[in-house]
Amino acid sequence: MTKTIRPSSGRAAPPPDCPLDHCLRLLAGAWTAKILWYLCEEPRRFGDLRRDLGGITSKVLSSRLRELEAKGIVSREVIPVSPPQVSYRLTSLGKELRPVLDAMARLGEKAGQSSC
Amino acid sequence: MTKTIRPSSGRAAPPPDCPLDHCLRLLAGAWTAKILWYLCEEPRRFGDLRRDLGGITSKVLSSRLRELEAKGIVSREVIPVSPPQVSYRLTSLGKELRPVLDAMARLGEKAGQSSC
DNA sequence: CTGTATCCTTTTAGATACTG
DNA sequence: CAGTATCTAAAAGGATACAG
């Protein structure tokens, strides 16, 4: 994956709390913003996300999703069928990140990218 | 982290270049967004940034600044006085990141943070 | 299908010392 | 003041195998 916003790798920095800090914590990780981007559109299942994201391993995807769930950004719904289905969606808190993701996307499109 | 863009070998819907990718590359690193945030306000010298950022080492700050310079986001101006002064500012390209940074900051303030 | 468990590599950041 | 040079550590992610 390309480099991304990451949390400090060494020790934590003594924080002079910048208004960006909160958001940066939420979006930490190389895949997090992209995961949320796909979830903005509509709820998606684990396998869908994995395919959409192209290249993420199930270990990492699972890890990020649990992190987002713990932060209250994403909710997880298990549909008890066989084979099992699990659907992820943004919570209302998660939807508050849309302005950030949209701004990022607009920049990308401005810079001449294809759409997702 | 140079990822390994996966060659979309054969399969149906492989590797989407997501519109977020461009921005995520620009903001890579634990300190990058915050550095740009402070530079949004006004040009700043190396030592000012270091103080503003509270906790960054000169090694990392220097490294990130050179990276941003290479990407055309930040410009570096040396003022030949003694002791030397070096001032950094956003380029016009760098200013395009403002909407993203502003969206992040708004989220932080909404979540109840102190200002920078 | 939706994950977990290992093991390993890469990427950054922190600590510290030193220079023009 | 504005960096550079080393060295170390830790986090993140990748590969792979396997389970419910």
Side-chain angles (χ1 to χ4, degrees), chain B residues 59-78:
Chain B
K59 189 199 88 168
V60 171
L61 177 55
S62 173
S63 175
R64 293 288 139 262
L65 284 170
R66 302 222 175 267
E67 210 171 90
L68 290 168
E69 210 191 337
K71 287 171 177 167
I73 291 174
V74 153
S75 67
R76 179 174 180 271
E77 183 192 9
V78 181

Side-chain angles (χ1 to χ4, degrees), chain A residues 1-9 13-27 30-31 33-35 37-38 51-57 93 96-97 99-111 113-116, chain B residues 1-6 12-31 33-34 37-38 51-56 67 71 93 96-97 99-111 113-116:
Chain A
M1 185 50 196
T2 48
K3 305 188 213 173
T4 344
I5 301 169
R6 286 174 179 262
S8 312
S9 173
D17 237 28
C18 169
L20 300 190
D21 285 336
H22 179 243
C23 184
L24 290 174
R25 274 189 294 270
L26 298 183
L27 296 183
W31 295 96
K34 293 174 74 168
I35 291 171
W37 174 253
Y38 286 106
R51 195 170 358 84
D52 293 338
L53 290 163
I56 194 171
T57 62
L93 180 60
E96 292 181 14
L97 283 161
V100 177
L101 300 172
D102 286 341
M104 287 181 164
R106 275 195 291 276
L107 194 71
E109 279 154 12
K110 192 170 175 180
Q113 290 204 332
S114 58
S115 73
C116 265
Chain B
M1 173 188 329
T2 32
K3 143 71 178 283
T4 85
I5 282 282
R6 243 167 231 317
D17 209 35
C18 169
L20 301 189
D21 286 337
H22 179 243
C23 183
L24 291 173
R25 275 189 294 270
L26 297 183
L27 296 184
W31 296 95
K34 294 174 73 167
W37 175 252
Y38 287 104
R51 194 170 357 83
D52 293 337
L53 289 163
I56 194 170
E67 210 171 90
K71 287 171 177 167
L93 180 60
E96 293 181 13
L97 282 162
V100 176
L101 300 172
D102 286 342
M104 287 181 165
R106 274 194 292 276
L107 194 71
E109 280 154 9
K110 192 171 175 181
Q113 291 204 330
S114 57
S115 73
C116 262

